[in-house]
Amino acid sequence: MRYDAHETLAAPARPSANPLRLAAGVVLVVLFFLPLAFAYAGVVPSALRYDGPAALTEGRTPLAVLILLFQLTFLILALGMVLRLVHQRGLASLIGPAGTATSQFLRCTRYLLPLYLLLTVMPMPPEYQLSPNLAPGNWVLWLPLALACVLIQTSAEELVFRGYLQSQLAARFRSPLVWIGLPSALFGLFHYSPLLAGPNAWALILWAGLFGVTAADLTARTGTLGPALALHFTNNVFAILVTAPAGNLDGIALYTFPLSLDDHDLAWYVLPIEILFTLCAWLTARIALRR
């Protein structure tokens, strides 16, 4: 079976694979995370003398983007506490063998970078032309912190959806339709944003759900979070740090492009492209893992 390697992640979950225990764990993750996140949101901006609440929530400055991304640190902390309390396991059990995961992460990233660079330089219609945003010198100065914060954000999401949910469900249910399908559907709903996308909120759910399926498949094929994290990290580096939609988490991007997520016709133009590119990125990671 092509998913035999996933036993590496499912085995540590098996002693606590009761679905009710998983449901309790999910609730506790949310209950632990929200107070920490609210406290962070109330204290850190003022401590850093950040006085632009609107720009902060929209990510319109470099510091705002870093503050928003770093907040996901508390999701990792909440998950770590719940794993110990409810499942008697640690965060490392969600990742797989550290050496293998790191090697697969680096290999997939090395193959994915040229693909995303190619997408960046491809000709676009006039209405989607890139515009310079952050000065290159400033961008380089912010880049180390920005990369670290993107890694935190993507790691938090991968640990929750592909690490925790997928492994706990795989330990209880045999069918990949359950342990790939359910976390991927929840990952799609996690990206539901009607205030931002308006009538296109369904398109974000659909794309994120497909992305979740590709990341889950890579995790199941390899038995580590390394490839899924490489896919997620590379995608978000380019979506946040290289080319971002103007007005939406664009404060630290080198370039922006005009994109109104609530444009009625946008989904029918962008969604097929995003789906096709997601599948290309998944196949690229598959090729990298075979080399």
Side-chain angles (χ1 to χ4, degrees):
M1 290 292 292
R2 64 184 184 276
Y3 290 155
D4 287 348
H6 195 237
E7 178 62 18
T8 303
L9 297 176
R14 197 154 282 118
S16 60
N18 188 301
L20 292 178
R21 187 177 290 197
L22 173 60
V26 170
V27 171
L28 285 174
V29 168
V30 174
L31 292 178
F32 287 167
F33 169 66
L34 288 180
L36 293 171
F38 283 131
Y40 168 85
V43 172
V44 172
S46 59
L48 295 175
R49 299 181 180 179
Y50 194 91
D51 56 358
L56 175 61
T57 56
E58 297 171 1
R60 301 303 303 275
T61 68
L63 184 57
V65 174
L66 297 187
I67 290 173
L68 290 172
L69 294 177
F70 188 79
Q71 189 173 41
L72 272 294
T73 301
F74 298 102
L75 183 57
I76 298 175
L77 292 176
L79 178 60
M81 289 189 289
V82 168
L83 284 170
R84 290 295 181 189
L85 288 172
V86 178
H87 302 284
Q88 291 77 53
R89 55 189 296 215
L91 282 170
S93 67
L94 305 181
I95 299 170
T100 304
T102 302
S103 173
Q104 291 173 342
F105 171 83
L106 294 174
R107 190 186 315 162
C108 289
T109 301
R110 189 168 68 247
Y111 276 71
L112 288 165
L113 280 174
L115 179 67
Y116 278 87
L117 283 170
L118 178 63
L119 178 67
T120 302
V121 301
M122 283 179 61
M124 296 290 288
E127 61 269 27
Y128 295 110
Q129 290 298 310
L130 297 177
S131 300
N133 185 45
L134 202 62
N138 288 340
W139 185 77
V140 170
L141 290 175
W142 284 104
L143 190 58
L145 274 176
L147 289 172
C149 287
V150 172
L151 184 61
I152 288 170
Q153 178 252 326
T154 51
S155 296
E157 294 183 10
E158 289 306 313
L159 285 167
V160 170
F161 290 98
R162 259 65 69 182
Y164 179 45
L165 292 176
Q166 183 168 322
S167 66
Q168 289 294 145
L169 288 170
R172 176 63 178 80
F173 301 98
R174 293 178 58 87
S175 174
L177 292 176
V178 176
W179 49 263
I180 286 182
L182 183 56
S184 298
L186 292 174
F187 186 69
L189 291 172
F190 182 71
H191 289 78
Y192 177 65
S193 184
L195 294 179
L196 180 65
N200 294 325
W202 66 269
L204 289 180
I205 293 174
L206 185 59
W207 169 79
L210 174 64
F211 188 94
V213 169
T214 61
D217 175 81
L218 292 174
T219 301
R221 288 178 184 275
T222 59
T224 83
L225 278 191
L229 181 56
L231 179 65
H232 202 163
F233 175 72
T234 308
N235 179 82
N236 285 21
V237 163
F238 278 83
I240 297 172
L241 306 186
V242 181
T243 59
N248 177 35
L249 210 64
D250 62 350
I252 205 166
L254 188 59
Y255 295 96
T256 62
F257 56 94
L259 180 68
S260 178
L261 292 179
D262 59 358
D263 185 336
H264 185 269
D265 297 324
L266 178 69
W268 304 107
Y269 175 77
V270 174
L271 184 61
I273 297 174
E274 289 291 341
I275 289 175
L276 180 61
F277 186 76
T278 298
L279 293 175
C280 288
W282 169 69
L283 288 172
T284 300
R286 293 274 310 276
I287 292 170
L289 292 167
R290 291 183 177 182
R291 294 301 176 93

